[in-house]
Amino acid sequence: MVLRIVQVGLGGWGKNWASHVVSQNKDVEAVAWVDVHEETLLGAQKSLDLPAERCFSSLKCALEEVEADAVLVTASLPGHVPSALEALNAGKHVLMEKPFAPTIGEARQIIEAATQHNRIMMISQNYRFYPAPRVVADLIRKQELGPVYAVNIDFRRYDNVAPKGSYGHYIIWEPLLADMSIHHFDLMRMVLGQEPQEVTCKTWNPPLSNYTEPPTGTATITFDGGTVVSYRGSWVSTAPQTNWAGEWHMECEQGEIIWTSRGELPEYVQVRPRGKRVRSIKLPDYPLTDRSGSLNAFVQAVQSGQEPETSGRDNLKTLALMYATIEAAGSNRPVKLTAE
């Protein structure tokens, strides 16, 4: 059965979803497109050659006019909660971009609505859908080199070329921790198979930065299995850039696991047993990666009725880590996370 989807949010990222992800999936049919901004809607209609009668300024109108099974939310953060609740209360499944809510309380509202209406609500944590993190998670689960006790992660990019405060990325809220590091936080949980307990963080805005809010930060995160993660990220680094997933060095009892994923540099996983040479691990072929992998997992969850691994219920823990890190940076003190 083909899943009929209404897409909400047709800015630059939303248009990319429409043209490069949704349209390429044979198990999905886009039946309507929504954006509250008339100019954005008309621009997408023209550039994507969308039928005018299937383009709407509100999700409510779209759901009244077309038959749909699910809603894809690619709008900016302020549109996430109202779109998700509208869709779930109309009995539709929901796939959303991250971060999926501006507060933990609102995130819980969405999760409760999905439970009440027995619908799938999934977050597109697309960095999970690559071979390297899957292979590493398996190595850790099997304790190939024993327990992990320390992890060092570096993310470096120089995205600082537009005039200060000019547009989009340069003026968004928490451009590092909320827009980028949330991917790394989610990978930490996935790969380690542990949950965060405490975080400290320092962010800053270097003199060379064209960002309104801090694009650079460092954090220390303690997990419930005893692993301590040292994390560094920057949008304005002049050092060699990393892949989008960052560079990972995972120190285990019997050696080290080194890996990277998603980017211009080759994806790889290497293991260095203590006292021995580094060896590379052959990565499996993944026909669908990144957002295509997310969308495919969503379709499978809807068809099977099984909760996906990045359901809202699970991703709430990633969201909580993101907000705890932001709180730690703002308060200059450690922040504890609880199981609740």
Side-chain angles (χ1 to χ4, degrees), residues 41-57:
L41 184 63
L42 291 174
Q45 182 183 324
K46 182 178 180 180
S47 63
L48 298 174
D49 193 25
L50 305 177
E53 68 276 11
R54 294 295 183 93
C55 294
F56 300 89
S57 60

Side-chain angles (χ1 to χ4, degrees), residues 227-247:
T227 303
V228 178
V229 175
S230 298
Y231 174 79
R232 297 188 299 181
S234 178
W235 278 119
V236 296
S237 174
T238 54
Q241 77 173 20
T242 66
N243 279 340
W244 291 101
E247 294 175 348

